[in-house]
Amino acid sequence: MIAAKAFRLALLAAGTAGGLSGAAYGLLNGQAGYARRVIGPPANDPLRADGIHLPSGIGPVPRGELADGFEPLEFAVLGDSAAAGLGVDFQADLPGVRLARGLAEELDRPVALTTHAIVGTTSQELAAQVDAALLRPPKLVLIIIGANDVTSKLPVSACAELLGDAVRRLVDSDVAVVVGTCPDLGAIRPIPQPLRSIARHWSLALGRAQRRVVEAAGGRAVPLADLLSPEFLARPGEFFSPDRFHPSAAGYEAAAAILLPAMCSVIGEWRGGPLPPAPTRSKAAEARRPTSRIVARLNRRLHRHGNS
């Protein structure tokens, strides 16, 4: 259902904003149908492993098993299916678990993981997750969101502002916030060209807007598309789960490796040296042509075929 909505609305936006001819729109509509059939709906709900994770890598364990004086760091995960970890088969591979255990090892302190992320969430539903998190404010929040925003009818700027509002509420409550911005949907191979280029254009534009509002609201933005696109493009069989849409255990591991230093840094616990500045655009993103040029080329080609 999520994938179907994504491709249907991406086509609507492309048709209204990109000047597609009827033939070109028909081609993209056919491509969207093909992608929906290949990806299909999620087979299962994401696993859960909330609770206390220890520096030894053990967890989750009951809070009552902690020795006196060992208060855990409270860590919450908000967002969509990528935040929830849809696509993995074992609890240890969930991004929240990987990061909770990484934090526990880095801090030499137990970490209490709470997952509020829900499959299918857009920035419109993020406020409800913030409400739930602030019932017992954590020390640190990770938000991963954006892929479903590409499917929404809201403009990029509106989606970004909703995310900025969520970050601002958390920061105002003394919560440190890290946001993994919208991934590059152009890396998803079941989406055929030129529809894949339209998805890439939207997702990269949203990621840039998200980064601006997150930093303005006092959070730390980690540009997942700019940092991970080359890996996912080069090794799709390894980095995507069997549905070829959500990350695999290896894909989540790669994301966790770039998120963990930023998370330690925002709570003042990073001891690995200065963090390098994140890129504003990756080489992979720079190499992509704008959607308007793709649409124009597609219309010209179909027009030539129609007159031959």
Side-chain angles (χ1 to χ4, degrees):
M1 181 176 67
I2 297 167
K5 181 183 176 187
F7 302 127
R8 183 169 63 251
L9 294 177
L11 286 170
L12 174 63
T16 57
L20 282 172
S21 70
Y25 187 88
L27 173 62
L28 291 180
N29 191 44
Q31 291 182 335
Y34 169 79
R36 289 195 296 270
R37 291 192 298 272
V38 170
I39 295 171
N44 301 292
D45 292 331
L47 301 172
R48 294 292 290 269
D50 287 5
I52 309 295
H53 293 267
L54 305 179
S56 62
I58 297 174
V61 301
R63 192 176 292 263
E65 291 188 8
L66 293 179
D68 292 341
F70 281 85
E71 281 299 313
L73 179 137
E74 300 290 339
F75 167 47
V77 179
L78 282 59
D80 56 21
S81 58
L86 188 63
V88 303
D89 297 320
F90 302 99
Q91 291 180 335
D93 294 325
L94 292 168
V97 171
R98 286 188 179 277
L99 290 165
R101 293 179 179 177
L103 285 166
E105 181 180 4
E106 186 69 27
L107 278 57
D108 194 25
R109 175 185 175 185
V111 172
L113 169 66
T114 303
T115 303
H116 298 288
I118 300 172
V119 174
T121 292
T122 70
S123 293
Q124 291 179 302
E125 292 86 47
L126 190 57
Q129 295 185 20
V130 174
D131 291 341
L134 289 179
L135 291 175
R136 183 181 177 183
K139 172 71 173 179
L140 173 65
V141 160
L142 170 69
I143 303 173
I144 302 177
I145 201 160
N148 295 306
D149 285 338
V150 175
T151 77
S152 77
K153 297 178 181 178
L154 290 173
V156 164
S157 59
C159 295
E161 287 303 321
L162 289 169
L163 173 60
D165 291 342
V167 173
R168 195 171 295 107
R169 287 181 60 199
L170 291 164
V171 171
D172 288 347
S173 298
D174 295 324
V175 179
V177 182
V178 172
V179 175
T181 59
C182 186
D184 179 4
L185 298 188
I188 301 172
R189 296 295 179 87
I191 307 176
Q193 292 288 15
L195 180 58
R196 194 190 318 158
S197 292
I198 295 172
R200 168 173 288 121
H201 175 77
W202 273 46
S203 57
L204 293 177
L206 178 58
R208 292 192 296 271
Q210 287 177 324
R211 183 173 181 177
R212 289 192 295 269
V213 299
V214 167
E215 292 174 349
R220 173 72 63 88
V222 178
L224 296 182
D226 297 321
L227 293 168
L228 291 177
S229 282
E231 297 285 355
F232 277 79
L233 288 165
R235 295 186 284 174
E238 179 182 352
F239 276 59
F240 283 102
S241 64
D243 69 7
R244 300 171 66 194
F245 188 82
H246 296 94
S248 65
Y252 285 121
E253 182 180 18
I258 63 173
L259 288 165
L260 181 60
M263 291 166 54
C264 292
S265 178
V266 297
I267 58 174
E269 296 288 352
W270 178 245
R271 296 184 289 273
L275 295 180
T280 55
R281 289 289 297 274
S282 70
K283 292 181 180 179
E286 287 289 351
R288 312 302 170 192
R289 291 183 178 272
T291 304
S292 59
R293 295 178 63 181
I294 294 169
V295 168
R297 287 168 51 194
L298 176 63
N299 282 333
R300 287 197 299 269
R301 186 167 69 249
L302 291 174
H303 180 73
R304 287 198 300 270
H305 290 332
N307 292 335
S308 60

